[in-house]
Amino acid sequence: MTSDIRPLSLNVPEPGCRPGDTPDFSDFEIPRAGLVPRPAVNVDPDEIRDMAFSIVRVLNKKGEAVGEWADSLTNDELRVGLRHMMTLRTFDIRMMNAQRQGKTSFYMQHLGEEAVSCAFSRAMQPGDMNFPTYRQAGLLIARDYPMLTMMNQIYSNAEDPLHGRQLPIMYSSKEHGFFSISGNLGTQFVQAVGWAMASAISGDTKIAAGWIGDGSTAESDFHAAMVFASTYKAPVVLNIVNNQWAISTFQGIARGGVGTFAARGHGFGIASIRVDGNDYLAVHAVAKWACERARLGFGPTLIEHVTYRAGGHSTSDDPSAYRSKSEAAAWPLGDPLERLKQHLITIGEWSEERHKQAEAEIHDEVVSLQKTAEAVGTLAVGKTPSPRDMFEGVYETMPPHLVKQRQEAGF
Amino acid sequence: MAQMTMIEAIREAHDVAMAADKRVVVYGEDVGYFGGVFRCTAGLQEKFGKSRCFDTPINEAGIVGTAIGMAAYGLKPVIEIQFADYVYPAYDQIVSEAARLRHRSNADFTCPIVIRMPTGGGIFGGQTHSQSPEALFTHVSGLKVVMPSNPKDAKGLLLAAIEDPDPVIFLEPKRLYNGPFDGHHDRPIVSWKKHPLGDVPDGDDLVPLGKAAVRRVGADVTVLAYGTMVYVAEAAVQETGVDAEILDLRTLMPLDLEAIVASVKKTGRCVIVHEATRTSGFGAELMSLVQEACFYHLEAPMIRVTGWDTPYPHAQEWEYFPGPGRVGEAFKKVMED
């Protein structure tokens, strides 16, 4: 017996592919579109345990919408969705460049993940509340939050709705169902559950949606959110956006030995579903199912959006330092914008010409708004928020010690 | 008016607030059916229903995190952390979220929550049931920090905290729950039942946040104290005969600096007493503020009497606890200088 004992060694998982390697996603199981059935919204979570290991997909390789999850949107709505994703991508490109030009300190783009927030947003109703991370600006774009206001915040200029106090992309808009982004990771997940509990306590019909990244599911707040959501059967949709990378750390470090992030829901008795996050139709259909389930009082749903962060984590990192440059192109679920475009063309509801025209319109709109924002100011030049403003709003009424400090600072 | 313990006064404040405002919800570990391990929420679930007073999983980050979400919705959660020593798992939610929400969102979202927690030692609670973490909260911009020292204030301050539009850390000195403990652990327990401050007004009378109370008028030295230390200072006055003016600070943030400065300018001497560890304790802040405002009025160096910079011990509780003997020594020293 003793002879079998060897010194122990630590298991540190490694991604399949690092810089210089050839990307290989052959181990990544992708069920064909249309395969996963759509259960009733009041289904017992135990009956759909397999959905945490499969992937709900609607768009097939030919660009057709197939299976029980298809048809949650009209063709007009699909064109609106495409426009939202195109707008977000254009917005990102312009703001990434603005950061490189020194007009803001920091930016985070959504490249490759546009479908997740843009489609989800359309499944919620006015009055519902999202508790987002920093990579869900599609929730705002798809609810027609003014892009000019977003830019003013990114530039921290005199029109910044948050008066220069918060980082560029940490938006807040109660009116648009978008809770103030903290910048700390995971904290919002349990707050979403609290908001949903409050709706239930108040006998309301509103629901909440929490958002978290694959990496941040390792935070204790994730566990707190799951146990509270489970115990109180809170009307909340809990979204994990698995974009494969947490800065330079691959998703296997947070996931550990379990098969999928969605499977974490099983221990809590929470309905858990994986969805193709690059399939606008699938994200919308699953979001609609989960929102309805919550609103009807059947409890929380955990959704793992399987997607890929095609860009860097933020303007502060270079992905080629930790993953293969060709990995994004090799990602087997493709590009969400391209896939929706192809679907609309396949069904005769869109064309390359119309797409080019829409691209030009969106480009002009974003550039025009950018000029307006820059005319007010950027972090580098022009009108900035008053230094007096940093002393405001710490409390509703400024206490004497802050009044004194503001005077001392000369504002 | 009714004669109450501090526990009964705190329970009564919850009762009044819940009856007046449907948005007030109360929860925490063992808070619902059982009414709290110290009984501060006894009977509330039965009276107001399970959706307004309920038990939670043992997860402080979850308790505070959900309260922040509820406040964003429009409720006014009053939550209990079973012991202040257990608050650390929730520290991120308090510091990074509750405290900053108003500022970072430009009041798009606010956080009117009250986080209650039994605080301080004197009950042989060892290192995990005895701590006084007030300085960990006064250091955080956006929080208010309150510590009552008697039933009357406990009710009035808790009602004010619940009404406040910002997050309030409400520290309850657990050794005072049943009586005005003066540090003489070897003497019979004194009850609130005959104490003037155990006489608690009916209804919804507030004690405003940010106002200190003069517990004893004196001419020789100003004592800055809060919570249990108010009674320790009173005992030290009786035993030394030093004519001390005792200020019960009641609210540490925002602080009643005006009352402090007026008293120190009058007496010219200052002793600061708290149960928490000394280094970077709230006494250091008080000493800085008094020095800045009263330097030319001081006739002797200020003295701090505090818990030692060790974990709160079990068997050595009374050697750790800054009792009337140590406070009395400080009185004598500050009068000699």
Side-chain angles (χ1 to χ4, degrees), chain A residues 161-163 165-166 172-174 180 182 184 187 190-191 194-195 202 204 221 224 232 390 392-393 395-396 401, chain B residues 54-56 59 62 65-66 69-70 73 75 92-93 96-97 102-106 108-109 142-143 165-166 253:
Chain A
L162 306 186
H163 296 205
R165 296 172 194 157
Q166 179 56 302
S172 174
S173 179
K174 184 186 265 181
S180 154
S182 156
N184 271 38
T187 46
V190 63
Q191 293 161 1
W195 197 98
S202 309
D204 204 342
D221 286 302
Y232 303 107
M390 75 178 147
E392 302 281 351
Y395 301 89
E396 187 184 76
H401 73 286
Chain B
F54 53 89
D55 294 323
T56 64
N59 189 314
T66 51
M70 288 186 199
Y73 176 89
L75 299 187
D92 189 32
Q93 287 286 353
S96 312
E97 303 293 323
R102 173 188 294 281
H103 190 258
R104 79 171 192 235
S105 73
N106 193 30
D108 193 24
F109 296 92
L143 298 177
D166 288 303
M253 178 59 71

Side-chain angles (χ1 to χ4, degrees), chain A residues 316-399:
Chain A
S316 304
D317 67 308
D318 172 9
S320 70
Y322 49 75
R323 70 185 189 193
S324 165
K325 280 182 183 171
S326 55
E327 194 181 87
W331 171 245
L333 294 177
D335 177 76
L337 208 151
E338 198 58 33
R339 284 174 70 191
L340 181 54
K341 174 189 161 192
Q342 285 308 324
H343 170 61
L344 282 165
I345 291 173
T346 301
I347 61 173
E349 292 288 334
W350 197 242
S351 66
E352 290 290 353
E353 294 71 37
R354 287 177 77 179
H355 195 78
K356 280 204 178 68
Q357 191 189 336
E359 268 180 342
E361 285 167 13
I362 290 164
H363 179 267
D364 289 350
E365 184 194 2
V366 174
V367 169
S368 158
L369 291 170
Q370 192 177 3
K371 282 181 182 157
T372 308
E374 289 179 9
V376 178
T378 70
L379 192 60
V381 291
K383 284 189 205 149
T384 54
S386 161
R388 190 183 166 89
D389 232 319
M390 75 178 147
F391 293 96
E392 302 281 351
V394 182
Y395 301 89
E396 187 184 76
T397 307
M398 194 180 294

Side-chain angles (χ1 to χ4, degrees), chain A residues 139-365:
Chain A
L139 296 171
L140 289 172
I141 299 261
R143 282 200 182 191
D144 298 323
Y145 182 76
M147 276 190 283
L148 180 60
T149 311
M150 291 166 74
M151 288 173 177
N152 286 333
Q153 184 180 336
I154 290 162
Y155 289 146
S156 294
N157 66 24
E159 301 290 325
D160 174 357
L162 306 186
H163 296 205
R165 296 172 194 157
Q166 179 56 302
L167 277 166
I169 51 139
M170 310 291 178
Y171 312 107
S172 174
S173 179
K174 184 186 265 181
E175 188 192 340
H176 297 82
F178 194 94
F179 184 73
S180 154
I181 301 176
S182 156
N184 271 38
L185 298 184
T187 46
Q188 72 285 349
F189 216 51
V190 63
Q191 293 161 1
V193 176
W195 197 98
M197 288 168 68
S199 177
I201 288 168
S202 309
D204 204 342
T205 57
K206 299 189 186 89
I207 64 164
W211 295 85
I212 203 164
D214 48 278
S216 301
T217 60
E219 291 279 7
S220 306
D221 286 302
F222 176 80
H223 178 271
M226 296 295 280
V227 72
F228 275 70
S230 171
T231 299
Y232 303 107
K233 222 172 164 182
V236 65
V237 182
L238 295 166
N239 296 282
I240 302 169
V241 181
N242 176 6
N243 68 9
Q244 313 301 321
W245 289 95
I247 306 187
S248 70
T249 306
F250 90 113
Q251 45 86 19
I253 293 286
R255 181 169 48 79
V258 75
T260 69
F261 288 98
R264 298 236 194 269
H266 289 163
F268 299 92
I270 293 177
S272 303
I273 301 180
R274 274 173 111 209
V275 62
D276 179 346
N278 289 17
D279 179 340
Y280 185 94
L281 284 81
V283 171
H284 181 268
V286 169
K288 192 179 163 197
W289 184 91
C291 288
E292 197 180 330
R293 180 177 171 83
R295 206 181 305 279
L296 292 174
F298 298 121
T301 303
L302 181 68
I303 302 175
E304 177 185 345
H305 301 263
V306 183
T307 182
Y308 186 84
R309 195 193 78 208
H313 167 71
S314 74
T315 46
S316 304
D317 67 308
D318 172 9
S320 70
Y322 49 75
R323 70 185 189 193
S324 165
K325 280 182 183 171
S326 55
E327 194 181 87
W331 171 245
L333 294 177
D335 177 76
L337 208 151
E338 198 58 33
R339 284 174 70 191
L340 181 54
K341 174 189 161 192
Q342 285 308 324
H343 170 61
L344 282 165
I345 291 173
T346 301
I347 61 173
E349 292 288 334
W350 197 242
S351 66
E352 290 290 353
E353 294 71 37
R354 287 177 77 179
H355 195 78
K356 280 204 178 68
Q357 191 189 336
E359 268 180 342
E361 285 167 13
I362 290 164
H363 179 267
D364 289 350
E365 184 194 2

